[in-house]
Amino acid sequence: MVSVALCDDDEAQLAHIASLLDAYGAQHPEIRLRVCRFASGERLLDSAQQESFDLYLLDVLMPGLSGIDVGLRLREMGDEGEIIYLSASREHAVESYQAQAFFYLLKPVESDRLFAVLERALGRLAQTRSQCVVVHTSTGAERISLQEIIYVERVQRSMGYHCTGGRTVFSVSLRTSFREAATPLLASRCFLLCGASFAVNLRHVAAVEQTAAVMDDATRVPIPRRLGPQIKRAWMDYWLEADKKW
């Protein structure tokens, strides 16, 4: 199942894009698209507070919050969904990169062009979903998507995986050091060791202070003062990279 949020203040445009998504879904029944329509950015953000979407198709120019504003708010919330902007003008294409947009598609939107962009976006989504870590818990093995993990910490003799939505998964007792146990995470460019007992997901870091990494859920992960500049540099370098693959 792929959840899609479609947002446009123009009813005719909203219906047109929705019909194209229906046509794409009919051609690819194995994907199972679930499309939710929104007539304003404010309504979409209200819904996204309760449920994030895999894919966002956003009109750029709307009354109130623009599509660019909505994209930036989503990223501030830690939302990792792919964003495709729809606009009758190229004027805001550069701004769209601030929200880490996947694509900027010009109106009128034609089916062939939209379908090609959807193929690429859904391919990236599938790749992201395949990136998981297996955690051995007291009730059995559990697969956790890397994008869900905000940070990991050593809790007594186990690993605590703090995930989006307020969920925490605890491993069985460790028989190795924290660094060794975190090796599957550290193999991803998104994760960074912060001292002896913490590893953070750089995609979820909102700020780096002298003695703490501030995560996008407002958690403050302590970091050794001597590592502060190094961690801040790694975080900034990560976001300056053009292609942030896992």
Side-chain angles (χ1 to χ4, degrees):
M1 173 74 73
V2 176
S3 59
V4 182
L6 172 58
C7 185
D8 199 310
D9 65 301
D10 185 319
E11 275 191 42
Q13 286 291 323
L14 199 63
H16 172 60
I17 302 301
S19 69
L20 292 182
L21 291 172
D22 287 343
Y24 183 84
Q27 290 184 17
H28 301 275
E30 74 283 359
I31 295 177
R32 296 178 58 213
L33 294 180
R34 180 175 66 85
V35 181
C36 296
R37 306 186 196 186
F38 300 92
S40 72
E42 289 83 355
R43 290 182 182 177
L44 186 154
L45 288 173
D46 285 344
S47 181
Q49 294 278 1
Q50 307 301 321
E51 173 197 13
S52 61
F53 294 85
D54 298 310
L55 182 62
Y56 295 88
L57 276 70
L58 308 178
D59 182 31
V60 172
L61 297 179
M62 296 185 289
L65 291 176
S66 71
I68 303 296
D69 294 331
V70 173
L72 292 173
R73 295 276 186 89
L74 289 170
R75 297 311 186 215
E76 289 171 3
M77 292 160 53
D79 197 296
E80 299 289 336
E82 299 292 354
I83 297 175
I84 297 172
Y85 280 114
L86 311 175
S87 178
S89 167
R90 299 179 186 273
E91 182 181 353
H92 300 279
V94 174
E95 293 177 68
S96 71
Y97 289 104
Q98 298 175 19
Q100 304 146 46
F102 180 80
F103 206 86
Y104 191 94
L105 194 58
L106 290 175
K107 295 179 179 180
V109 178
E110 298 178 355
S111 60
D112 290 350
R113 188 65 169 150
L114 177 61
F115 290 4
V117 174
L118 287 173
E119 289 283 350
R120 291 170 52 198
L122 295 175
R124 179 183 286 187
L125 176 62
Q127 182 182 29
T128 300
R129 285 180 170 179
S130 70
Q131 300 296 316
C132 297
V133 63
V134 177
V135 180
H136 296 281
T137 73
S138 59
T139 57
E142 182 170 344
R143 289 172 61 87
I144 307 176
S145 169
L146 295 188
Q147 68 176 345
E148 290 183 63
I149 302 171
I150 300 174
Y151 70 98
V152 182
E153 67 172 321
R154 182 173 188 130
V155 181
Q156 295 180 350
R157 294 191 56 79
S158 71
M159 298 267 283
Y161 294 79
H162 299 270
C163 303
T164 54
R167 184 171 70 108
T168 302
V169 177
F170 293 98
S171 73
V172 295
S173 295
L174 298 179
R175 297 184 178 180
T176 62
S177 67
F178 177 83
R179 178 189 288 270
E180 289 181 60
T183 296
L185 295 177
L186 299 176
S188 164
R189 67 199 303 179
C190 291
F191 284 86
L192 184 67
L193 199 64
C194 295
S197 301
F198 291 91
V200 298
N201 185 341
L202 293 172
R203 292 183 74 96
H204 288 290
V205 174
V208 178
E209 299 175 352
Q210 201 168 29
T211 59
V214 183
M215 312 310 291
D216 54 22
D217 67 348
T219 301
R220 299 174 64 83
V221 175
I223 58 178
R225 184 180 294 270
R226 62 182 174 78
L227 294 181
Q230 176 184 331
I231 291 170
K232 186 168 187 176
R233 185 165 56 251
W235 171 61
M236 293 175 68
D237 287 347
Y238 172 78
W239 284 111
L240 287 172
E241 293 175 3
D243 187 14
K244 305 171 187 66
K245 295 180 181 177
W246 290 92

